[in-house]
Amino acid sequence: MQFTAEHAEWGRVDITLDDLGCGRSWEEIHRVRGVELVCPECGGQVHARVSKLGTRHLYHRSRPPSCSLANESLEHHLLKLELVTCARAAGFRAELEVAAPTGEWRADVMVFNADGTRLMALEAQLSPITVEEIAARTGLYERDGVGVCWFGLRPRPWVGSVPTLLVQAPEEQGQAWTVAAGLARFCDWPVSWSPAGATLGEAVAWMLTGRIVPHTPVASSRRVTNEGEWGEWADGWTRFWNDSWRLWWTAPAYAARDAECAREQAEARRRREAEEKAAALQRAVREKEKARKKAAKDRAYQQFWTRTGLDRQAWKYFRAMAELYFDLDLIFGAPDARYGDGRPVYERGGPDGEDWTLVGVACPDPCRLRAWAEDLALLVPSHADLDVLAGRAWAPFQVYVLDPYTGEMDHERVLPAPVSP
């Protein structure tokens, strides 16, 4: 079954047109002896007839095994007929089975611009074909400046890898063909794609007039799903279980908004990465400063232990004796250069123990005493340390001896040495 033929004098014959595309009528070829029509592909003789369904068509008296037009299925022919009808209903000149001058392609339906240039090929693809083959055929159309849309009726591996519409034939006479998949609308909050319904006639008219275009999604959402569902139009219809439709038909405004969302997401990603980089840099600086302070603190403690001759166990006893002697809740700070590398001693008070009052300095370096020594209690671990402080006193000092090795606790007010006359 096919719809076009060649006549030696009339030229191309298209039986889907009232004048057969050559100024003739159906009656001049149907059941008329002597009319010689040949197949445009194989050159074999074809004849006009009407099917049981009332469809006019041409047939080979002897079907050649290598002629694709002769071997097309009834579904293929009916879909081609519907496609050419839709294109013509949209106001365009459309012809069936149009071949390239080079013979590299033959369009099921070729739609022309008003100036006669080729606009778009409408291809009914119902027989098996690989993703690579359909991509190559699409590339030939693109090379020649012709748009293309591939129409199918059921799941195939190539679906969605090229501009595609899956369509559904009407269940009852008088109903319209409909689009089952391949047409989508965009929502930018949240960013998502959802199926759009249309009749085949509407979809063909929209693509021929530019109201829909094939679009590869670029924003974060790259699947078409029904609201509240996870499955795509054609989950599992592609070559591998995790393949998805890579492009679909949509309005140019939706394509532009998708691109804008992609730019916004990229900018947000850049800002986030910049913020994360800045935060990482700040963390690195803080960690470096923390490490520096820890190293300085470790050095200060090491110097403290070396200078005082105390170890951690002796220091533990020293602190316990101080708290017992003064009967106060005491806090001992780290060695502090402001207090002669001694450890400041705070009394903790207040309702929650958050008020710290500086009351003394433990084990200060006698060579680094300053004015604070006149006002604060000086805590030392031995009488030898007391004697050293006494030798350096320029004012009365309050010195407390807390010997962690003997348990001796003593208090003495040290006076400056008298000045010789």
Side-chain angles (χ1 to χ4, degrees), residues 72-382:
E72 288 178 345
S73 67
L74 177 60
E75 280 185 324
H76 193 120
H77 287 294
L78 293 177
L79 180 52
K80 282 201 306 186
L81 183 59
E82 185 64 24
L83 291 173
V84 75
T85 300
C86 290
R88 289 168 181 168
F92 288 84
R93 173 189 156 207
E95 296 182 4
L96 287 157
E97 299 153 6
V98 176
T102 60
E104 292 181 277
W105 48 259
R106 180 187 297 276
D108 286 334
V109 177
M110 179 60 68
V111 184
F112 296 86
N113 288 303
D115 60 4
T117 57
R118 294 172 300 204
L119 172 62
M120 178 174 286
L122 307 180
E123 288 279 12
Q125 186 58 47
L126 306 185
S127 59
I129 187 172
T130 68
V131 174
E132 292 74 20
E133 288 171 336
I134 203 166
R137 289 177 61 183
T138 300
L140 292 175
Y141 282 119
E142 291 175 347
R143 181 202 63 188
D144 294 342
V146 181
V148 62
C149 182
W150 300 87
F151 296 82
L153 294 176
R154 56 186 60 86
R156 297 294 186 200
W158 55 266
V159 165
S161 65
V162 292
T164 305
L165 284 183
L166 292 181
V167 297
Q168 186 171 344
E171 295 181 358
E172 298 180 8
Q173 189 173 3
Q175 293 180 336
W177 287 66
T178 56
V179 173
L183 186 61
R185 60 170 58 90
F186 182 74
C187 176
D188 56 7
W189 188 257
V191 174
S192 60
W193 290 93
S194 59
T199 65
L200 178 56
E202 290 171 334
V204 169
W206 293 345
M207 67 176 61
L208 295 178
T209 56
R211 291 181 60 187
I212 57 174
V213 294
H215 174 66
T216 300
V218 291
S220 59
S221 177
R222 301 185 182 182
R223 302 171 72 240
V224 179
T225 58
N226 289 303
E227 185 176 357
E229 297 181 6
W230 287 97
E232 296 183 75
W233 291 310
D235 246 2
W237 290 12
T238 46
R239 184 167 42 177
F240 302 112
W241 69 269
N242 59 345
D243 275 357
S244 295
W245 285 53
R246 294 197 292 273
L247 74 163
W248 43 76
W249 290 88
T250 192
Y254 288 145
R257 185 61 190 128
D258 179 41
E260 180 62 24
C261 282
R263 287 191 292 270
E264 292 171 357
Q265 290 171 348
E267 179 59 30
R269 185 166 54 253
R270 284 191 293 269
R271 286 196 305 268
R272 185 170 60 254
E273 290 172 352
E275 291 170 356
E276 290 173 353
K277 184 177 180 180
L281 182 59
Q282 290 176 356
R283 285 195 300 271
V285 170
R286 288 195 300 268
E287 289 298 324
K288 184 176 180 180
E289 179 63 14
K290 182 179 178 180
R292 185 194 66 79
K293 290 181 177 179
K294 183 179 184 303
K297 186 176 180 180
D298 290 344
R299 286 194 302 272
Y301 272 111
Q302 186 57 47
Q303 292 168 0
F304 179 81
W305 303 130
T306 302
R307 179 175 57 80
T308 62
L310 298 172
D311 58 24
R312 297 183 186 279
Q313 187 63 36
W315 175 256
K316 180 179 179 181
Y317 293 148
F318 181 87
R319 287 185 54 178
M321 292 171 67
E323 290 186 337
L324 178 62
Y325 188 87
F326 291 102
D327 192 21
L328 296 173
D329 186 4
L330 300 180
I331 299 294
F332 289 76
D336 195 325
R338 294 174 298 174
Y339 301 105
D341 292 330
R343 299 183 64 170
V345 182
Y346 301 92
E347 178 189 358
R348 183 161 57 183
D352 299 317
E354 296 178 352
D355 298 333
W356 290 12
T357 304
L358 182 63
V359 295
V361 178
C363 307
D365 185 343
C367 299
R368 302 185 61 188
L369 300 177
R370 297 293 183 269
W372 45 265
E374 301 175 17
D375 302 319
L376 299 173
L378 305 180
L379 285 63
V380 296
S382 70

Side-chain angles (χ1 to χ4, degrees), residues 9 12 101 133 170 228 353 362 367 373 378 387 402:
E9 297 179 3
R12 176 182 171 84
E133 288 171 336
C367 299
L378 305 180
D387 293 340
L402 306 169

Side-chain angles (χ1 to χ4, degrees), residues 379-413:
L379 285 63
V380 296
S382 70
H383 281 87
D385 295 310
L386 170 65
D387 293 340
V388 174
L389 290 177
R392 292 185 174 275
W394 67 85
F397 291 166
Q398 300 293 332
V399 181
Y400 295 86
V401 178
L402 306 169
D403 192 326
Y405 299 104
T406 65
E408 182 182 359
M409 294 184 288
D410 194 10
H411 167 236
E412 187 170 330
R413 185 170 182 266

